[in-house]
Every structure is written in C-alpha cells, then in structure tokens.
Amino acid sequence: MKRILVAEDNDSNYILMTYILKRDYEFVRAANGQEAVDLADGGNIDLVLMDVKMPMMDGLEATRIIKERHPQLPVIALTANAFDSDRQLALDAGCDDFLAKPISSAKCLETIAKYI
C-alpha cells in the first residue's frame, strides 16, 4: 500500500485527510514543516500532502528542502489561500500540484492518483 505523508498542523484538517485516505493509503502525520522534512528524509514516503501555513517551518520552505533532497517525491500543496498568486508560490517552491481547502475528497483522490 502506498504511504502518504500528511503535513498538517490543524487536528480537524488532519482528521478529514485521514477520512479521505484511509481506504486506499497508509499515512503518517507531520505537525510542522521540520517534521515533514525529517519524515521525508526517513524514506518510505510515496507522496506528500503539504499544508502551506504551519509552525516552526512553513510548507513552502519544507517543500523546497524536500524537493532539493528528493526531487522525485511528489508534493501537493494544501492551502486555504486559493488565489492564483498562492498557487504560483506553491509551484515555485517545488510543489507538483495544488489543492484548495476545503478539500473535496473526490478531487483529492483524483489528484493523488495522478502521481502514485
């Protein structure tokens, strides 16, 4: 089973993601950007769902580091900021795709399936 790293500091958003993913994927949580980098470095991750706004290190900086170290690892940005400029910032940081919150389960699974 494919393993997804869910980088999300908000408990309710994380619970929603587990509900969406639980039938098709294994998952592990990072509560901040630094944890996301550490877990990605640990290996055995097939895709990252990256919240953009997190404590300690934001999702954009974490993405830059992850993509520098693991360029083949797909990273999908998750953010409540759905403006085109926010999407461009995520893509510029190295994200492969972008999902706006609130997340649609069908759209989330469809986007993940494009990468794994």
Side-chain angles (χ1 to χ4, degrees):
M1 187 174 283
K2 298 292 185 179
R3 191 165 192 227
I4 295 177
L5 168 56
V6 180
E8 174 61 69
D9 64 313
N10 181 288
D11 289 338
S12 60
N13 288 339
Y14 176 72
I15 290 167
L16 173 61
M17 293 310 303
T18 64
Y19 178 77
I20 292 169
L21 301 173
K22 68 182 176 184
R23 286 189 307 138
D24 300 309
Y25 302 100
E26 291 180 14
F27 46 88
V28 62
R29 181 183 190 180
N32 62 59
Q34 185 59 58
E35 283 182 16
V37 170
D38 294 343
L39 287 166
D41 284 346
N44 198 26
I45 302 293
D46 297 295
L47 182 137
V48 179
L49 292 173
M50 182 70 75
D51 183 24
V52 171
K53 297 208 183 300
M54 288 188 293
M56 192 174 296
M57 176 189 298
D58 71 27
L60 298 180
E61 181 61 23
T63 297
R64 285 185 196 94
I65 294 168
I66 290 169
K67 292 301 256 185
E68 180 179 296
R69 296 177 184 175
H70 313 281
Q72 77 292 348
L73 182 60
V75 178
I76 300 171
L78 304 175
T79 184
N81 300 327
F83 297 109
D84 286 340
S85 60
D86 298 307
R87 177 182 177 86
Q88 193 58 53
L89 285 172
L91 296 175
D92 289 347
C95 291
D96 297 283
D97 218 320
F98 181 93
L99 290 170
K101 294 176 183 176
I103 302 293
S104 149
S105 59
K107 179 69 172 166
C108 181
L109 292 172
E110 174 186 313
T111 303
I112 291 169
K114 290 190 323 191
Y115 298 97
I116 58 174

